[in-house]
Coordinates of all heavy atoms in Angstrom, one line a residue:
S1 N -40.5 22.5 53.0 CA -41.5 22.2 51.9 C -42.1 20.9 52.0 O -43.3 20.7 51.8 CB -40.7 22.4 50.6 OG -40.2 23.7 50.4
A2 N -41.2 19.9 52.4 CA -41.7 18.5 52.5 C -42.7 18.4 53.6 O -43.8 17.8 53.4 CB -40.6 17.6 52.7
Y3 N -42.5 19.1 54.7 CA -43.5 19.1 55.8 C -44.8 19.7 55.5 O -45.8 19.2 55.8 CB -42.8 19.7 57.2 CG -43.7 19.6 58.4 CD1 -43.9 18.5 59.0 CD2 -44.2 20.8 58.8 CE1 -44.7 18.4 60.1 CE2 -45.2 20.8 59.9 CZ -45.3 19.6 60.6 OH -46.1 19.6 61.7
A4 N -44.7 20.8 54.9 CA -45.8 21.6 54.5 C -46.7 20.8 53.5 O -47.9 20.9 53.5 CB -45.4 23.0 53.9
G5 N -46.1 20.0 52.7 CA -46.9 19.2 51.7 C -47.2 17.8 52.2 O -47.8 17.0 51.4
S6 N -46.9 17.5 53.4 CA -47.3 16.2 53.9 C -48.7 15.8 54.0 O -49.4 16.7 54.3 CB -46.5 15.9 55.4 OG -45.2 16.1 55.2
F7 N -49.0 14.6 53.8 CA -50.5 14.1 54.0 C -50.9 14.2 55.4 O -52.0 14.6 55.8 CB -50.5 12.7 53.4 CG -51.8 12.1 53.7 CD1 -53.1 12.4 53.0 CD2 -52.0 11.2 54.8 CE1 -54.3 11.8 53.3 CE2 -53.3 10.6 55.1 CZ -54.4 10.9 54.3
A8 N -50.0 13.7 56.3 CA -50.2 13.8 57.8 C -49.1 14.5 58.5 O -47.9 14.3 58.1 CB -50.3 12.4 58.3
Q9 N -49.4 15.4 59.4 CA -48.5 16.2 60.1 C -48.6 16.0 61.7 O -49.8 15.9 62.1 CB -48.5 17.6 59.7 CG -48.3 18.1 58.3 CD -48.5 19.4 58.0 OE1 -49.2 20.1 58.8 NE2 -48.0 19.9 56.8
V10 N -47.6 15.9 62.3 CA -47.6 15.9 63.9 C -46.5 16.8 64.3 O -45.4 16.7 63.9 CB -47.3 14.4 64.4 CG1 -47.2 14.5 65.9 CG2 -48.5 13.6 64.0
S11 N -46.8 17.7 65.3 CA -45.8 18.5 65.9 C -46.1 18.6 67.4 O -47.3 18.4 67.9 CB -45.9 19.9 65.3 OG -47.1 20.5 65.5
A12 N -45.1 18.6 68.2 CA -45.3 18.5 69.7 C -44.1 19.0 70.4 O -42.9 19.2 69.8 CB -45.6 17.1 70.0
E13 N -44.4 19.5 71.7 CA -43.2 19.8 72.5 C -43.0 18.8 73.7 O -44.1 18.3 74.1 CB -43.5 21.2 73.1 CG -42.4 21.7 74.1 CD -42.7 23.1 74.7 OE1 -43.6 23.2 75.6 OE2 -42.1 24.1 74.3
Y14 N -41.8 18.5 74.0 CA -41.6 17.6 75.0 C -40.6 18.1 76.1 O -39.7 18.9 75.8 CB -40.9 16.3 74.5 CG -41.8 15.6 73.5 CD1 -41.9 16.0 72.2 CD2 -42.7 14.6 74.0 CE1 -42.7 15.3 71.3 CE2 -43.6 14.0 72.9 CZ -43.6 14.3 71.7 OH -44.4 13.7 70.8
L15 N -40.8 17.8 77.4 CA -40.0 18.4 78.5 C -39.7 17.4 79.5 O -40.5 16.5 79.8 CB -40.8 19.7 79.2 CG -41.2 20.7 78.4 CD1 -42.7 20.6 77.9 CD2 -41.1 22.0 79.0
H16 N -38.5 17.5 80.0 CA -38.2 16.7 81.2 C -37.3 17.6 82.0 O -36.5 18.5 81.5 CB -37.6 15.4 81.1 CG -36.2 15.3 80.7 ND1 -35.3 15.6 81.5 CD2 -35.5 15.0 79.5 CE1 -34.1 15.4 81.0 NE2 -34.2 15.2 79.7
G17 N -37.4 17.4 83.4 CA -36.7 18.4 84.4 C -35.3 17.7 84.7 O -34.8 16.8 84.0
T18 N -34.8 18.2 85.7 CA -33.5 17.7 86.3 C -33.6 16.4 86.9 O -34.6 16.0 87.6 CB -32.9 18.7 87.3 OG1 -32.9 20.0 86.6 CG2 -31.5 18.3 87.7
E19 N -32.7 15.5 86.7 CA -32.7 14.2 87.4 C -31.2 14.0 87.9 O -30.2 14.4 87.3 CB -32.9 13.1 86.5 CG -34.3 13.2 85.8 CD -34.5 12.1 84.8 OE1 -33.7 11.2 84.6 OE2 -35.4 12.3 83.9
H20 N -31.1 13.4 89.1 CA -29.9 13.1 89.7 C -29.6 11.6 89.9 O -30.5 10.9 90.0 CB -29.7 13.8 91.1 CG -29.3 15.2 91.0 ND1 -30.2 16.2 90.8 CD2 -28.1 15.8 91.1 CE1 -29.6 17.4 90.8 NE2 -28.2 17.1 90.9
H21 N -28.3 11.2 89.8 CA -28.0 9.9 89.6 C -28.3 8.9 90.9 O -28.9 7.8 90.8 CB -26.5 9.7 89.5 CG -26.0 10.3 88.3 ND1 -25.8 11.7 88.2 CD2 -25.5 9.9 87.1 CE1 -25.3 12.1 87.0 NE2 -25.0 11.0 86.4
N22 N -28.1 9.4 92.1 CA -28.4 8.8 93.4 C -28.0 7.3 93.4 O -29.0 6.5 93.7 CB -29.9 9.0 93.6 CG -30.2 10.4 94.3 OD1 -29.5 10.7 95.3 ND2 -31.0 11.1 93.8
P23 N -26.8 6.9 93.1 CA -26.5 5.4 93.5 C -26.6 5.2 95.0 O -26.5 6.2 95.7 CB -25.1 5.4 92.9 CG -24.5 6.8 93.1 CD -25.7 7.7 92.7
L24 N -26.7 4.0 95.3 CA -26.8 3.7 96.7 C -25.5 4.0 97.5 O -25.7 4.6 98.6 CB -27.0 2.1 96.9 CG -27.4 1.6 98.2 CD1 -28.6 2.1 98.8 CD2 -27.4 0.1 98.2
E25 N -24.4 3.7 97.0 CA -23.2 4.1 97.7 C -22.9 5.6 97.5 O -22.8 6.2 96.4 CB -22.0 3.3 97.0 CG -20.6 3.6 97.8 CD -19.4 3.1 96.9 OE1 -19.6 2.8 95.8 OE2 -18.4 3.2 97.5
L26 N -22.7 6.2 98.6 CA -22.3 7.6 98.6 C -20.9 7.8 98.1 O -20.1 6.9 98.2 CB -22.4 8.2 100.0 CG -23.7 8.1 100.8 CD1 -23.7 8.5 102.2 CD2 -24.7 9.1 100.0
F27 N -20.6 9.0 97.6 CA -19.2 9.3 97.1 C -18.3 9.3 98.3 O -18.5 10.1 99.2 CB -19.2 10.4 96.1 CG -19.4 10.2 94.7 CD1 -20.6 10.0 94.2 CD2 -18.3 9.8 93.9 CE1 -20.8 9.6 92.9 CE2 -18.5 9.6 92.7 CZ -19.8 9.4 92.0

């Protein structure tokens, strides 16, 4: 209800893919 009655509204989708740690030293 509060969102529907807001003076200004913003909606969006955000994505990020897989990331790996990759430290310099190997395990």
Side-chain angles (χ1 to χ4, degrees):
S1 296
Y3 181 73
S6 297
F7 173 78
Q9 299 174 343
V10 171
S11 64
E13 181 180 72
Y14 298 86
L15 303 97
H16 79 73
T18 304
E19 299 169 14
H20 278 84
H21 303 72
N22 277 309
L24 184 62
E25 181 197 10
L26 299 169
F27 269 84

